C-alpha cells in the first residue's frame, strides 16, 4: 500500500425514492456511438410506437419522450449503440431535490409540448403519472475537504 | 559486595528497560496534550466526520404530512501515520565493556551493572523522547497551518478552513495602542463556536512569550486591569507538567480565555547547535492559537511493521521486548557477525484534528 497522504471521500446517503415506490422494466437504446451514463433519479419518457422503449426526457425532443414517465432507479452506463433493460420508478413519493433532467437545463417547471400542444409541466405530468415529489431539508454538511 | 550473574545480564537489562519505559511514557508536552492518544493496531487509520448544521424547524399545518429532514452527509478520512523507527547499539553505551568484559565473566559487580543500566535507560528513553518531540512538532504544524509534513511521505493536509488562519495585519497587532486584543480573541472563539460547533465557554489561548508581553502591556488591558483584583502579570501557576506556564484568564465577549505560554524549545532536524541559541520555540513568535477547552482532537497511533512471533523466535538474537500502550514498540536483537546489540523504539503516530474547525490561529505581532 502506498502512502498517499490524507485520503478524503465525501459520501451522501440522501434518499431519492422515499415511499410507495412502484417500478417497471423498460428498454433503453443508446442513440450514440459512445458510452453514456445516467444517474439514479434521471427522468425518462416513453417513445410511442417503439414497444417497451424509453429514453431520457428532454423538453426539446419530438418523439414523445419529452413527456416524463418515470425516474431511473440505479446509476447506469450504457455502451455505444447498446440496448439495455433499465428499471424505472413510475410511482410513489420521491425526493424533489434529487430529480435529474439529462440535458441539465430542464426543471420541474419546464413546459412540455407535444405536437405544438402544451400538455403541462414536467412536475404536473409526473404527478399525474403517480410520482409525488416532495422537498427535503438537509440537516448536515460535509467536513472540509 | 553484591554481584549479578553474567548469564542473567541480558534479561535483567531487558526487563529493567521495559519497566522504565513504561514509567516514562506519559505525554509530557503541552501541544499534544490537546490530542489524547488513541491506539489502533492497523496500518491505516480512518475516521468519519458528520457535521450537523444547527438548522431550525418550521411549523406545519395540522393535518398535513410531516416535513422530511435528512442527515445523509458523511466525510470519510483515511491516512497512514508517519512511522518512527530508531535504534541504538548497546555495545556503545558507556560502561558496556566494563560490565561485559571477558575478565569479569562469571559474576559482575552490581555497581558497574547499575551504572551501565542507567546509562542505557537514559539513552533509550531519549529515543522515545525524540519521537514524542516529533509528535509535538506535528501538533505545532497543525496549529500553524493544518498540515503535517513527514520526511518520507506526502504532506498530510487536514484542510483547515482559510478563515481559521488569520494573517498578520496592523488591525490585530497586540502591541498597537489602538488595538484591543480581546476583540480578536473573541473572534477566534466565535469561529470555534460557529464554524467548529464547539459549545465550550472556556477557551485556551496558546501564546508566544512576546505575545503575552504585548498583551499585558496593551493599553486596553492595562486599563481593564485597574478594575480587577487579579493582575494579568501575576502568573497563576509556575509550570504545568506539560511544560506550559498558565497565565490569567480574561473575558473576551462571552468567552473566558486562559492565556497559556509555552517557553519550550526543540532542536530542528539537521541542525547541530545544541547550546540553545539555535533552538526553536514550539510556539512561533507572534502566534496565538485558540482552542476550546474540550476538543475533538486525537493522536492516532497505528501499527508498526510486525513480524510473526513464531518466525521471529527462530531468528538468532531476536527478542521482542514489548510495547507501551500499543504506542511505542521496543525491540532487541543481536547481530553476532558485527558484534552489535541493538535496541529499537518504534511508533506510528499522527496528531489529527478530527474536529478540524475547533482551532483558530492568528499572527498578532509583525513577523
Amino acid at each position: 500500500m502506498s502512502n498517499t497522504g490524507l485520503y478524503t471521500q465525501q459520501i451522501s446517503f440522501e434518499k431519492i425514492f422515499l415511499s410507495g415506490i412502484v417500478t417497471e422494466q423498460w428498454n433503453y437504446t443508446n442513440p450514440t456511438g459512445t458510452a453514456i451514463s445516467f444517474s439514479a433519479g434521471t427522468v425518462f419518457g416513453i417513445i410511442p410506437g417503439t414497444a417497451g422503449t424509453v429514453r431520457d426526457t428532454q423538453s426539446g425532443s419530438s418523439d414523445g419522450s419529452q413527456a416524463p414517465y418515470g425516474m431511473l432507479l440505479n446509476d447506469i452506463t450504457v455502451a455505444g449503440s447498446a440496448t439495455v433493460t433499465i428499471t424505472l420508478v413510475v410511482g410513489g413519493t420521491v425526493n424533489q431535490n434529487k430529480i435529474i433532467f439529462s440535458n441539465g437545463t430542464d426543471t420541474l417547471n419546464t413546459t412540455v409540448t407535444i405536437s405544438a400542444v402544451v400538455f403541462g409541466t414536467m412536475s404536473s405530468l409526473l404527478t399525474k403519472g403517480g410520482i409525488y415529489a416532495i422537498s427535503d431539508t438537509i440537516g448536515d454538511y460535509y467536513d472540509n475537504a | 559486595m553484591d554481584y549479578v550473574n553474567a548469564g542473567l545480564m541480558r534479561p535483567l537489562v531487558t526487563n529493567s528497560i521495559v519497566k522504565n519505559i513504561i514509567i516514562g511514557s506519559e505525554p509530557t508536552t503541552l501541544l499534544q496534550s490537546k490530542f489524547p492518544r488513541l491506539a489502533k493496531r492497523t496500518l491505516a487509520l480512518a475516521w468519519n466526520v458528520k457535521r450537523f448544521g444547527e438548522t431550525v424547524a418550521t411549523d406545519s399545518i395540522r393535518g398535513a404530512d410531516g416535513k422530511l429532514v435528512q442527515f445523509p452527509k458523511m466525510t470519510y478520512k483515511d491516512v497512514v501515520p508517519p512511522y518512527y523507527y530508531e535504534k541504538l547499539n548497546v555495545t556503545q553505551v558507556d560502561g558496556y565493556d566494563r560490565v561485559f568484559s571477558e575478565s569479569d565473566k562469571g559474576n559482575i559487580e552490581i555497581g558497574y551493572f547499575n551504572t551501565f543500566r542507567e546509562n542505557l535507560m537514559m539513552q533509550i528513553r531519549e529515543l522515545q523522547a525524540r519521537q514524542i518531540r516529533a509528535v509535538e512538532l506535528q501538533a505545532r504544524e497543525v496549529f500553524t497551518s493544518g498540515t503535517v509534513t513527514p520526511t518520507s511521505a506526502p504532506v498530510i493536509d487536514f484542510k483547515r478552513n482559510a478563515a481559521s488562519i488569520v494573517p498578520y495585519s496592523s488591525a490585530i497587532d497586540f502591541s498597537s495602542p489602538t488595538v484591543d486584543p480581546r476583540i480578536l480573541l473573541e473572534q477566534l472563539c466565535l469561529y470555534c463556536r460557529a464554524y467548529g460547533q464547539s459549545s465550550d465557554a472556556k477557551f485556551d489561548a496558546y501564546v508566544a512569550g512576546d505575545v503575552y508581553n504585548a498583551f499585558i502591556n496593551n493599553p486596553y488591558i492595562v486599563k481593564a486591569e485597574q478594575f480587577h483584583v487579579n493582575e494579568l502579570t501575576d502568573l497563576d501557576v509556575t509550570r504545568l507538567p506539560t511544560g506550559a506556564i498558565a497565565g490569567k484568564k480574561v473575558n473576551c465577549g462571552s468567552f473566558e480565555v486562559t492565556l497559556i505560554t509555552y517557553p519550550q524549545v526543540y532542536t530542528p532536524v539537521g541542525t547541530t547547535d545544541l547550546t540553545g541559541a539555535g533552538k526553536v520555540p514550539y510556539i512561533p513568535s507572534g502566534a496565538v492559537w485558540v482552542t476550546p477547552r474540550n476538543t475533538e482532537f486525537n493522536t492516532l497511533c497505528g501499527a508498526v511493521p510486525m513480524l510473526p512471533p513464531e518466525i521471529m523466535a527462530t531468528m538468532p538474537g531476536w527478542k521482542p521486548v514489548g510495547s507501551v500502550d500499543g504506542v511505542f514498540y521496543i525491540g532487541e536483537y543481536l547481530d553476532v557477525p558485527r558484534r552489535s546489540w541493538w535496541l529499537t523504539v518504534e511508533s506510528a503516530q499522527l496528531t489529527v484534528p478530527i474536529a478540524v474547525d475547533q482551532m483558530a490561529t492568528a499572527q498578532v505581532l509583525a513577523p
Side-chain angles (χ1 to χ4, degrees):
Chain A
M1 178 178 178
S2 64
N3 192 338
T4 57
L6 181 64
Y7 170 79
T8 301
Q9 178 69 48
Q10 293 181 325
I11 307 162
S12 176
F13 298 101
E14 186 177 6
K15 288 193 71 173
I16 305 173
F17 308 110
L18 302 172
S19 65
I21 300 305
V22 178
T23 61
E24 290 180 353
Q25 304 283 316
W26 289 79
N27 292 325
Y28 169 77
T29 300
N30 184 349
T32 72
T34 57
I36 189 169
S37 296
F38 296 107
S39 298
T42 303
V43 177
F44 278 70
I46 298 171
I47 305 174
T50 57
T53 301
V54 294
R55 63 156 296 176
D56 50 309
T57 291
Q58 298 185 18
S59 59
S61 299
S62 57
D63 58 3
S65 66
Q66 64 268 42
Y69 178 70
M71 297 164 59
L72 189 63
L73 180 63
N74 298 310
D75 296 349
I76 59 165
T77 296
V78 183
S81 305
T83 297
V84 297
T85 299
I86 63 174
T87 302
L88 296 182
V89 172
V90 298
T93 304
V94 303
N95 185 347
Q96 171 181 305
N97 300 325
K98 302 298 287 183
I99 296 175
I100 298 169
F101 291 94
S102 62
N103 63 6
T105 55
D106 288 341
T107 68
L108 288 171
N109 294 324
T110 300
T111 300
V112 177
T113 303
I114 298 177
S115 301
V117 176
V118 174
F119 270 66
T121 64
M122 295 287 186
S123 177
S124 67
L125 292 178
L126 283 170
T127 302
K128 191 180 291 183
I131 293 179
Y132 301 98
I134 66 170
S135 179
D136 71 340
T137 297
I138 302 299
D140 58 0
Y141 54 98
Y142 292 122
D143 196 32
N144 303 348
Chain B
M1 188 170 289
D2 294 329
Y3 293 92
V4 176
N5 186 291
L8 300 175
M9 187 60 68
R10 189 177 173 217
L12 275 175
V13 169
T14 301
N15 292 341
S16 299
I17 289 163
V18 172
K19 182 178 179 183
N20 282 281
I21 284 293
I22 292 172
I23 291 170
S25 66
E26 291 302 313
T28 56
T29 46
L30 174 69
L31 305 182
Q32 61 193 275
S33 70
K34 278 284 183 185
F35 298 77
R37 285 180 184 147
L38 196 58
K40 298 293 179 184
R41 297 184 183 278
T42 52
L43 171 67
L45 303 163
W47 63 99
N48 286 322
V49 179
K50 189 173 185 65
R51 311 177 88 179
F52 288 117
E54 300 183 285
T55 53
V56 179
T58 55
D59 57 298
S60 296
I61 301 169
R62 293 175 188 275
D65 198 2
K67 293 174 178 171
L68 175 63
V69 182
Q70 296 197 67
F71 302 94
K73 296 183 177 177
M74 182 80 78
T75 303
Y76 169 84
K77 299 188 178 187
D78 190 307
V79 69
V80 177
Y83 170 49
Y84 301 99
Y85 177 23
E86 301 201 309
K87 64 181 182 179
L88 63 84
N89 191 340
V90 179
T91 67
Q92 296 174 355
V93 174
D94 293 344
Y96 176 86
D97 292 318
R98 181 67 188 88
V99 171
F100 290 93
S101 67
E102 180 65 23
S103 61
D104 284 335
K105 191 172 183 180
N107 292 327
I108 298 170
E109 188 182 333
I110 198 160
Y112 288 128
F113 168 71
N114 285 340
T115 302
F116 163 73
R117 186 182 63 175
E118 287 176 14
N119 288 336
L120 179 59
M121 286 189 304
M122 290 182 70
Q123 290 191 21
I124 200 163
R125 287 185 66 169
E126 181 63 11
L127 287 192
Q128 186 189 21
R130 283 168 54 84
Q131 297 181 18
I132 292 174
R133 289 187 200 106
V135 174
E136 190 73 351
L137 279 183
Q138 289 183 13
R140 176 191 204 261
E141 205 175 354
V142 169
F143 278 119
T144 304
S145 63
T147 61
V148 169
T149 309
T151 56
S152 306
V155 173
I156 299 167
D157 187 349
F158 294 109
K159 305 288 185 183
R160 280 182 60 183
N161 188 295
S164 73
I165 303 174
V166 182
Y168 173 77
S169 77
S170 58
I172 61 169
D173 191 325
F174 281 13
S175 65
S176 168
T178 60
V179 172
D180 184 346
R182 294 170 297 185
I183 294 174
L184 174 72
L185 291 175
E186 181 187 12
Q187 288 173 351
L188 299 180
C189 294
L190 283 170
Y191 174 86
C192 295
R193 168 63 194 90
Y195 213 88
Q197 299 189 348
S198 166
S199 57
D200 261 4
K202 296 182 179 180
F203 285 73
D204 292 331
Y206 296 164
V207 298
D210 53 0
V211 172
Y212 191 80
N213 286 335
F215 183 87
I216 61 176
N217 289 313
N218 182 279
Y220 284 89
I221 302 303
V222 171
K223 187 176 180 182
E225 283 255 72
Q226 297 170 359
F227 303 99
H228 292 75
V229 175
N230 294 329
E231 296 179 357
L232 282 161
T233 52
D234 180 16
L235 297 180
D236 261 344
V237 179
T238 305
R239 186 180 185 275
L240 299 173
T242 57
I245 310 291
K248 287 289 188 181
K249 302 177 180 67
V250 61
N251 287 345
C252 301
S254 302
F255 304 102
E256 177 189 284
V257 178
T258 302
L259 297 172
I260 297 172
T261 61
Y262 187 44
Q264 311 303 331
V265 296
Y266 66 96
T267 303
V269 173
T271 65
T272 56
D273 179 9
L274 303 180
T275 63
K279 294 191 176 183
V280 175
Y282 281 107
I283 300 181
S285 171
V288 174
W289 302 336
V290 171
T291 65
R293 180 66 49 84
N294 301 294
T295 55
E296 290 293 338
F297 307 153
N298 282 107
T299 297
L300 302 184
C301 306
V304 302
M306 301 297 274
L307 298 170
E310 64 273 18
I311 296 177
M312 293 306 294
T314 67
M315 300 293 288
W318 169 256
K319 185 178 182 183
V321 177
S323 71
V324 182
D325 298 333
V327 177
F328 296 97
Y329 288 82
I330 317 300
E332 175 201 10
Y333 63 95
L334 292 176
D335 185 347
V336 175
R338 294 174 180 81
R339 301 294 188 268
S340 296
W341 176 4
W342 297 103
L343 279 173
T344 62
V345 179
E346 299 168 86
S347 68
Q349 304 182 66
L350 179 64
T351 52
V352 177
I354 292 175
V356 69
D357 291 311
Q358 290 184 357
M359 63 171 63
T361 298
Q363 180 73 25
V364 298
L365 294 177

